[in-house]
């Protein structure tokens, strides 16, 4: 959905849909064309608008800090609320790159390969 939002086009257009254009003609009593007008099919029908609205609502519910969690689930007063644990995984490809870079340099660059994620601790532990 984000690609469609950035491009300003609907998902159906992104998927290859092309609008059908209907042209109407108006003639006078002598049969001469006096006016014509064309109307393309609407790209943003109700379904497309509903999808964009739903996506906007989903994004609005995310925590603004970038953790990826629902704001309502992760925010509370500091004294109480849900508990979380943080753990990490390592991107092995980036780690190999950074280790090679470190071997060529004297500064510590391995910290950039550590990817952190946060998950909510449920009631069971």
């Amino acid at each position: 959905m984000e690609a469609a939002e950035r491009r300003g086009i609907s998902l159906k257009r992104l998927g290859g849909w092309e609008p059908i254009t209907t042209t109407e003609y108006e003639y006078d009593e002598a049969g001469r064309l006096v006016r014509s007008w064309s109307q393309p099919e609407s790209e943003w029908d109700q379904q497309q608008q509903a999808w964009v609205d739903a996506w906007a609502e989903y994004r609005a519910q995310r925590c603004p800090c970038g953790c990826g969690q629902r704001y309502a689930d992760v925010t509370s007063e500091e004294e109480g609320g849900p508990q979380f644990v943080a753990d990490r995984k390592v991107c092995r490809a980036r780690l190999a790159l950074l280790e090679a870079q470190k071997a060529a340099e004297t500064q510590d660059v391995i910290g950039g390969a550590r990817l952190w994620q946060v998950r909510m601790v449920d009631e069971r532990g």
Side-chain angles (χ1 to χ4, degrees):
M1 178 62 84
E2 289 183 45
E5 281 182 346
R6 280 195 305 270
R7 295 179 184 181
I9 62 174
S10 67
L11 283 175
K12 67 182 181 180
R13 176 71 74 128
L14 192 61
W17 172 89
E18 290 293 329
I20 295 172
T21 300
T22 302
T23 303
E24 296 186 22
Y25 303 95
E26 184 178 326
Y27 299 92
D28 64 11
E29 294 82 23
R32 294 177 297 215
L33 179 65
V34 293
R35 186 181 328 176
S36 69
W37 62 93
S38 298
Q39 177 67 46
E41 184 180 5
S42 176
E43 179 173 345
W44 290 98
D45 59 24
Q46 289 180 334
Q47 183 178 34
Q48 298 301 306
Q49 292 175 31
W51 283 340
V52 169
D53 291 344
W55 179 247
E57 178 66 23
Y58 168 81
R59 290 181 63 191
Q61 292 179 12
R62 300 291 103 191
C63 182
C65 82
C67 68
Q69 306 293 321
R70 282 186 59 230
Y71 182 80
D73 292 340
V74 297
T75 56
S76 66
E77 300 298 324
E78 283 194 50
E79 296 81 35
Q83 298 297 307
F84 293 84
V85 294
D87 53 36
R88 67 180 184 193
K89 298 187 185 312
V90 174
C91 172
R92 297 290 176 196
R94 180 133 173 99
L95 182 59
L97 172 67
L98 294 173
E99 285 175 339
Q101 289 173 339
K102 185 177 180 185
E105 299 176 8
T106 58
Q107 59 182 336
D108 180 16
V109 294
I110 292 179
R114 295 196 175 17
L115 305 176
W116 291 84
Q117 71 181 34
V118 178
R119 61 182 167 77
M120 186 182 302
V121 177
D122 63 13
E123 298 293 324
R124 297 168 289 190

